[in-house]
Amino acid sequence: MKTSMIDYNNRTLFYDDEAYYDEEIISKILEIKKKLKLKKVIYCPCATGIYLEVFSKMFEKSYFVDINEKMISFLNKKIIK
């Protein structure tokens, strides 16, 4: 039986719906941000930028990095919207 694999490049097509927002992660990041008085954040791998909106409000600067260019392209489209 032949099975098909979805490679990382094709994951972009459905990753945005697959990933979920985790309040616990945001709570911990906010705690660290306050304790260390952070103004910038780097989120890697950022995938399709699930935390784009909240990081934009929490930090003066937010950098989103991913090894896959398609993920970054998808994220850039979100930023433009």
Side-chain angles (χ1 to χ4, degrees):
M1 178 191 297
K2 186 176 181 180
T3 60
S4 62
M5 299 289 284
I6 297 174
D7 67 8
Y8 194 76
N9 286 327
N10 292 324
R11 287 181 56 79
T12 307
L13 301 173
F14 65 90
Y15 192 88
D16 200 50
D17 292 327
E18 178 185 70
Y20 67 94
Y21 184 93
D22 189 335
E23 279 293 332
E24 192 172 322
I25 289 173
I26 296 303
S27 295
K28 292 293 181 191
I29 291 173
L30 188 56
E31 184 180 317
I32 293 166
K33 176 193 180 283
K34 288 178 180 179
K35 186 174 185 175
L36 300 177
K37 299 177 182 161
L38 300 175
K39 296 181 181 185
K40 300 175 186 176
V41 66
I42 296 175
Y43 186 55
C44 178
C46 71
T48 58
I50 192 163
Y51 297 112
L52 172 66
E53 188 175 336
V54 71
F55 281 7
S56 296
K57 292 175 183 175
M58 284 174 58
F59 296 96
E60 289 179 19
K61 294 219 180 219
S62 301
Y63 300 92
F64 295 83
V65 181
D66 200 289
I67 194 169
N68 187 303
E69 290 180 29
K70 289 186 178 184
M71 295 286 188
I72 298 299
S73 294
F74 193 95
L75 172 60
N76 282 334
K77 289 176 186 173
K78 279 186 178 179
I79 292 169
I80 291 170
K81 286 181 184 179

mmCIF file of all heavy atoms in Angstrom, residues 63-79:
data_model
loop_
_atom_site.group_PDB
_atom_site.id
_atom_site.type_symbol
_atom_site.label_atom_id
_atom_site.label_comp_id
_atom_site.label_asym_id
_atom_site.label_seq_id
_atom_site.Cartn_x
_atom_site.Cartn_y
_atom_site.Cartn_z
ATOM 1 N N TYR A 63 9.747 39.922 16.260
ATOM 2 C CA TYR A 63 10.398 39.311 15.103
ATOM 3 C C TYR A 63 9.922 37.871 14.981
ATOM 4 O O TYR A 63 9.953 37.120 15.955
ATOM 5 C CB TYR A 63 11.922 39.351 15.264
ATOM 6 C CG TYR A 63 12.466 40.750 15.399
ATOM 7 C CD1 TYR A 63 12.642 41.332 16.642
ATOM 8 C CD2 TYR A 63 12.794 41.487 14.262
ATOM 9 C CE1 TYR A 63 13.132 42.624 16.770
ATOM 10 C CE2 TYR A 63 13.277 42.782 14.384
ATOM 11 C CZ TYR A 63 13.448 43.343 15.634
ATOM 12 O OH TYR A 63 13.930 44.619 15.747
ATOM 13 N N PHE A 64 9.478 37.514 13.803
ATOM 14 C CA PHE A 64 8.978 36.165 13.549
ATOM 15 C C PHE A 64 9.883 35.498 12.521
ATOM 16 O O PHE A 64 10.102 36.040 11.447
ATOM 17 C CB PHE A 64 7.536 36.223 13.041
ATOM 18 C CG PHE A 64 6.582 36.759 14.067
ATOM 19 C CD1 PHE A 64 6.419 38.121 14.251
ATOM 20 C CD2 PHE A 64 5.866 35.898 14.868
ATOM 21 C CE1 PHE A 64 5.562 38.618 15.209
ATOM 22 C CE2 PHE A 64 5.005 36.375 15.829
ATOM 23 C CZ PHE A 64 4.848 37.745 15.999
ATOM 24 N N VAL A 65 10.406 34.331 12.892
ATOM 25 C CA VAL A 65 11.396 33.637 12.077
ATOM 26 C C VAL A 65 10.939 32.205 11.840
ATOM 27 O O VAL A 65 10.385 31.568 12.735
ATOM 28 C CB VAL A 65 12.771 33.619 12.799
ATOM 29 C CG1 VAL A 65 13.818 32.928 11.963
ATOM 30 C CG2 VAL A 65 13.202 35.025 13.164
ATOM 31 N N ASP A 66 11.179 31.709 10.632
ATOM 32 C CA ASP A 66 10.871 30.316 10.324
ATOM 33 C C ASP A 66 11.795 29.854 9.210
ATOM 34 O O ASP A 66 12.176 30.643 8.347
ATOM 35 C CB ASP A 66 9.413 30.158 9.893
ATOM 36 C CG ASP A 66 8.925 28.733 10.043
ATOM 37 O OD1 ASP A 66 9.348 27.859 9.275
ATOM 38 O OD2 ASP A 66 8.114 28.491 10.960
ATOM 39 N N ILE A 67 12.134 28.587 9.220
ATOM 40 C CA ILE A 67 13.009 28.024 8.201
ATOM 41 C C ILE A 67 12.302 27.913 6.849
ATOM 42 O O ILE A 67 12.926 27.910 5.805
ATOM 43 C CB ILE A 67 13.563 26.649 8.649
ATOM 44 C CG1 ILE A 67 14.721 26.227 7.766
ATOM 45 C CG2 ILE A 67 12.463 25.604 8.672
ATOM 46 C CD1 ILE A 67 15.479 25.023 8.296
ATOM 47 N N ASN A 68 10.984 27.854 6.895
ATOM 48 C CA ASN A 68 10.202 27.672 5.674
ATOM 49 C C ASN A 68 9.724 29.019 5.138
ATOM 50 O O ASN A 68 8.957 29.722 5.788
ATOM 51 C CB ASN A 68 9.009 26.756 5.978
ATOM 52 C CG ASN A 68 8.249 26.396 4.742
ATOM 53 O OD1 ASN A 68 7.774 27.260 4.016
ATOM 54 N ND2 ASN A 68 8.127 25.106 4.490
ATOM 55 N N GLU A 69 10.150 29.354 3.939
ATOM 56 C CA GLU A 69 9.784 30.635 3.335
ATOM 57 C C GLU A 69 8.285 30.777 3.117
ATOM 58 O O GLU A 69 7.743 31.881 3.171
ATOM 59 C CB GLU A 69 10.521 30.818 2.010
ATOM 60 C CG GLU A 69 12.012 31.042 2.188
ATOM 61 C CD GLU A 69 12.730 31.225 0.869
ATOM 62 O OE1 GLU A 69 12.112 31.717 -0.100
ATOM 63 O OE2 GLU A 69 13.914 30.874 0.812
ATOM 64 N N LYS A 70 7.598 29.667 2.865
ATOM 65 C CA LYS A 70 6.154 29.728 2.648
ATOM 66 C C LYS A 70 5.421 30.151 3.917
ATOM 67 O O LYS A 70 4.406 30.840 3.853
ATOM 68 C CB LYS A 70 5.628 28.394 2.136
ATOM 69 C CG LYS A 70 6.041 28.100 0.710
ATOM 70 C CD LYS A 70 5.396 26.844 0.194
ATOM 71 C CE LYS A 70 5.812 26.636 -1.255
ATOM 72 N NZ LYS A 70 5.138 25.483 -1.841
ATOM 73 N N MET A 71 5.924 29.729 5.055
ATOM 74 C CA MET A 71 5.320 30.151 6.320
ATOM 75 C C MET A 71 5.473 31.665 6.491
ATOM 76 O O MET A 71 4.533 32.351 6.891
ATOM 77 C CB MET A 71 5.957 29.428 7.508
ATOM 78 C CG MET A 71 5.734 27.950 7.537
ATOM 79 S SD MET A 71 4.060 27.530 8.009
ATOM 80 C CE MET A 71 4.224 25.762 8.178
ATOM 81 N N ILE A 72 6.628 32.176 6.157
ATOM 82 C CA ILE A 72 6.880 33.619 6.266
ATOM 83 C C ILE A 72 6.012 34.386 5.268
ATOM 84 O O ILE A 72 5.457 35.431 5.600
ATOM 85 C CB ILE A 72 8.384 33.934 6.052
ATOM 86 C CG1 ILE A 72 9.239 33.258 7.128
ATOM 87 C CG2 ILE A 72 8.628 35.439 6.020
ATOM 88 C CD1 ILE A 72 8.947 33.689 8.546
ATOM 89 N N SER A 73 5.871 33.873 4.073
ATOM 90 C CA SER A 73 5.010 34.529 3.083
ATOM 91 C C SER A 73 3.569 34.599 3.576
ATOM 92 O O SER A 73 2.896 35.626 3.434
ATOM 93 C CB SER A 73 5.041 33.767 1.751
ATOM 94 O OG SER A 73 6.310 33.848 1.174
ATOM 95 N N PHE A 74 3.094 33.508 4.163
ATOM 96 C CA PHE A 74 1.740 33.468 4.714
ATOM 97 C C PHE A 74 1.605 34.502 5.830
ATOM 98 O O PHE A 74 0.628 35.228 5.904
ATOM 99 C CB PHE A 74 1.442 32.052 5.245
ATOM 100 C CG PHE A 74 0.006 31.813 5.557
ATOM 101 C CD1 PHE A 74 -0.836 31.233 4.629
ATOM 102 C CD2 PHE A 74 -0.520 32.157 6.794
ATOM 103 C CE1 PHE A 74 -2.179 31.005 4.916
ATOM 104 C CE2 PHE A 74 -1.855 31.934 7.097
ATOM 105 C CZ PHE A 74 -2.680 31.349 6.155
ATOM 106 N N LEU A 75 2.606 34.561 6.704
ATOM 107 C CA LEU A 75 2.610 35.524 7.805
ATOM 108 C C LEU A 75 2.611 36.954 7.272
ATOM 109 O O LEU A 75 1.879 37.811 7.769
ATOM 110 C CB LEU A 75 3.830 35.289 8.703
ATOM 111 C CG LEU A 75 4.088 36.313 9.794
ATOM 112 C CD1 LEU A 75 2.915 36.396 10.758
ATOM 113 C CD2 LEU A 75 5.366 35.974 10.533
ATOM 114 N N ASN A 76 3.399 37.220 6.251
ATOM 115 C CA ASN A 76 3.446 38.569 5.667
ATOM 116 C C ASN A 76 2.075 38.988 5.126
ATOM 117 O O ASN A 76 1.699 40.155 5.219
ATOM 118 C CB ASN A 76 4.506 38.651 4.579
ATOM 119 C CG ASN A 76 5.893 38.761 5.160
ATOM 120 O OD1 ASN A 76 6.085 39.243 6.276
ATOM 121 N ND2 ASN A 76 6.885 38.289 4.425
ATOM 122 N N LYS A 77 1.338 38.043 4.578
ATOM 123 C CA LYS A 77 -0.020 38.343 4.092
ATOM 124 C C LYS A 77 -0.932 38.725 5.259
ATOM 125 O O LYS A 77 -1.780 39.593 5.130
ATOM 126 C CB LYS A 77 -0.588 37.155 3.324
ATOM 127 C CG LYS A 77 0.080 36.958 1.983
ATOM 128 C CD LYS A 77 -0.435 35.709 1.287
ATOM 129 C CE LYS A 77 0.384 35.472 0.010
ATOM 130 N NZ LYS A 77 0.051 34.203 -0.623
ATOM 131 N N LYS A 78 -0.740 38.067 6.401
ATOM 132 C CA LYS A 78 -1.519 38.422 7.599
ATOM 133 C C LYS A 78 -1.179 39.855 8.040
ATOM 134 O O LYS A 78 -2.063 40.608 8.440
ATOM 135 C CB LYS A 78 -1.203 37.484 8.753
ATOM 136 C CG LYS A 78 -1.901 36.176 8.719
ATOM 137 C CD LYS A 78 -1.583 35.431 10.013
ATOM 138 C CE LYS A 78 -2.296 34.115 10.085
ATOM 139 N NZ LYS A 78 -1.975 33.399 11.321
ATOM 140 N N ILE A 79 0.095 40.188 7.991
ATOM 141 C CA ILE A 79 0.533 41.514 8.429
ATOM 142 C C ILE A 79 -0.089 42.594 7.538
ATOM 143 O O ILE A 79 -0.546 43.626 8.020
ATOM 144 C CB ILE A 79 2.076 41.617 8.426
ATOM 145 C CG1 ILE A 79 2.645 40.716 9.531
ATOM 146 C CG2 ILE A 79 2.535 43.061 8.607
ATOM 147 C CD1 ILE A 79 4.148 40.533 9.471
#
